[in-house]
Amino acid sequence: MDPSLLCKTFFCFGTAVDLGGTLIPSFREQIMNYGSRGIRQSEPAANQSAKPWSLFEYVASIQVSHTWFTHYYVVSVALSIFWAFQFYTHGFALKFLASYTQPKDSMTTNQVFLAWLFMMVQGTRRLYESLTLTKPSESKMWIGLWLIGIAYYVFMGVSVWIEGIATLSHNGLSSLEVGLPSIKTSIAASVFVSASIVQHECHKHLASLKKYSLPRQYWFQRVICPHYTSECAVYLAIALLAAPPGQLFNKTVLAGLGFVASNLGVTADSTRKWYVTKFGAEKLDGKWRMIPYLY
């Protein structure tokens, strides 16, 4: 199968599970929710031990620490380094993927490099934040979510440049050019940098809060989860930057963005419900979950 199509298939399947899972209450509550939003963490211990568990509940109970999120960014950075080495040496993994790639319009070498760089910067920043801002916590998440997250970063690490593999196969990095960026590249870079700064500020604010308190920073005034909005903007910028000739967006990255948006959208909705329960609906009046004026 064409590597780009394989990536799109994974992302579309993940998006379908995210959206479909919201229609099944038990799946959403026991699988998709995690941390303070997890249903079993909100129940008294006596009730948990007295209630018989189904096979589904038993599988859902196999959990890992929420701090394992850090592994996502370790994988992301490690794979960015790996693929950079493959680009430079025209390595075996690059040749293997190229052998299965169907002919199509290809990204330029500059686009491949910049898309790779943006992903490297994103992964490095998130790793830094995870190591410096994450507090010790007893929060848990289902082990399946952890594995899916690892898989996501494996696929996204390829997706950001895979539509330029034809160029890499023929020219490697030798055709990199230095010059003024195009308007599209300038817009993408501006969105990427702005979204990265906003997300970092949001993460710093969340890390500074006392446990289970309502965020009050500027970015949280109208949006409950602006750090999720920023995450989507980061990948939108990469999709714009990495678009092959004649296309507005890179479709492989855009499919990944769909997965990210659906996943974070579900989490943002769960966060809102948890805030309402904890602080009251009046505290959330006028606030959007993730996307202003839309959701």
Side-chain angles (χ1 to χ4, degrees):
M1 179 184 289
D2 182 272
S4 175
L5 179 58
L6 180 61
C7 291
K8 292 173 187 173
T9 301
F10 171 79
F11 293 139
C12 289
F13 177 76
T15 302
V17 171
D18 283 337
L19 298 178
T22 62
L23 304 177
I24 307 173
S26 59
F27 184 85
R28 177 169 182 168
E29 293 170 350
Q30 299 184 57
I31 296 295
M32 302 181 77
N33 287 348
Y34 54 83
S36 59
R37 296 175 292 268
I39 184 171
R40 284 201 170 270
Q41 293 189 357
S42 64
E43 295 178 354
N47 289 352
Q48 292 184 28
S49 59
K51 185 187 299 182
W53 282 18
S54 65
L55 177 61
F56 177 77
E57 290 175 316
Y58 174 75
V59 172
S61 72
I62 304 174
Q63 299 184 329
V64 297
S65 172
H66 191 198
T67 59
W68 281 28
F69 260 68
T70 302
H71 299 166
Y72 296 164
Y73 313 119
V74 171
V75 169
S76 179
V77 172
L79 287 176
S80 289
I81 294 172
F82 171 77
W83 288 118
F85 180 75
Q86 291 295 303
F87 299 161
Y88 183 74
T89 63
H90 205 68
F92 71 94
L94 186 67
K95 292 178 181 177
F96 176 78
L97 293 181
S99 68
Y100 285 93
T101 300
Q102 300 298 318
K104 60 174 74 73
D105 290 335
S106 180
M107 298 160 58
T108 66
T109 306
N110 282 40
Q111 285 180 301
V112 169
F113 173 74
L114 288 174
W116 169 87
L117 179 63
F118 279 21
M119 191 66 195
M120 179 66 173
V121 170
Q122 170 70 0
T124 302
R125 177 180 61 81
R126 293 295 289 116
L127 177 59
Y128 168 77
E129 291 172 349
S130 293
L131 294 175
T132 60
L133 299 179
T134 301
K135 298 177 181 178
S137 171
E138 296 181 359
S139 296
K140 303 288 186 180
M141 63 176 170
W142 181 51
I143 191 171
L145 290 180
W146 175 73
L147 292 172
I148 291 169
I150 294 293
Y152 165 79
Y153 280 99
V154 171
F155 279 98
M156 184 55 83
V158 173
S159 297
V160 296
W161 57 264
I162 193 63
E163 293 194 33
I165 195 168
T167 301
L168 287 173
S169 297
H170 288 93
N171 305 319
L173 297 177
S174 62
S175 56
L176 271 174
E177 299 177 352
V178 178
L180 292 176
S182 66
I183 294 176
K184 180 185 284 189
T185 299
S186 299
I187 293 173
S190 298
V191 172
F192 178 84
V193 171
S194 299
S196 298
I197 291 172
V198 171
Q199 189 178 54
H200 180 65
E201 290 301 313
C202 290
H203 287 156
K204 282 204 305 182
H205 178 66
L206 290 171
S208 70
L209 295 174
K210 293 182 179 179
K211 189 175 183 180
Y212 302 149
S213 55
L214 196 64
R216 299 186 181 280
Q217 188 194 46
Y218 169 78
W219 300 108
F220 292 87
Q221 294 302 306
R222 291 296 180 185
V223 181
I224 295 172
C225 298
H227 48 311
Y228 293 169
T229 314
S230 300
E231 183 86 1
C232 292
V234 162
Y235 289 110
L236 182 64
I238 297 176
L240 178 63
L241 170 79
Q247 299 181 30
L248 180 59
F249 293 107
N250 181 300
K251 294 177 182 177
T252 310
V253 179
L254 205 61
L257 172 59
F259 183 24
V260 171
S262 62
N263 182 274
L264 296 182
V266 172
T267 306
D269 184 58
S270 297
T271 299
R272 186 185 188 283
K273 290 177 179 177
W274 188 85
Y275 280 166
V276 168
T277 302
K278 189 73 176 178
F279 305 109
E282 66 280 359
K283 297 290 186 179
L284 282 301
D285 285 347
K287 291 189 177 184
W288 298 88
R289 293 171 179 82
M290 191 171 80
I291 304 175
Y293 307 106
L294 182 62
Y295 176 73

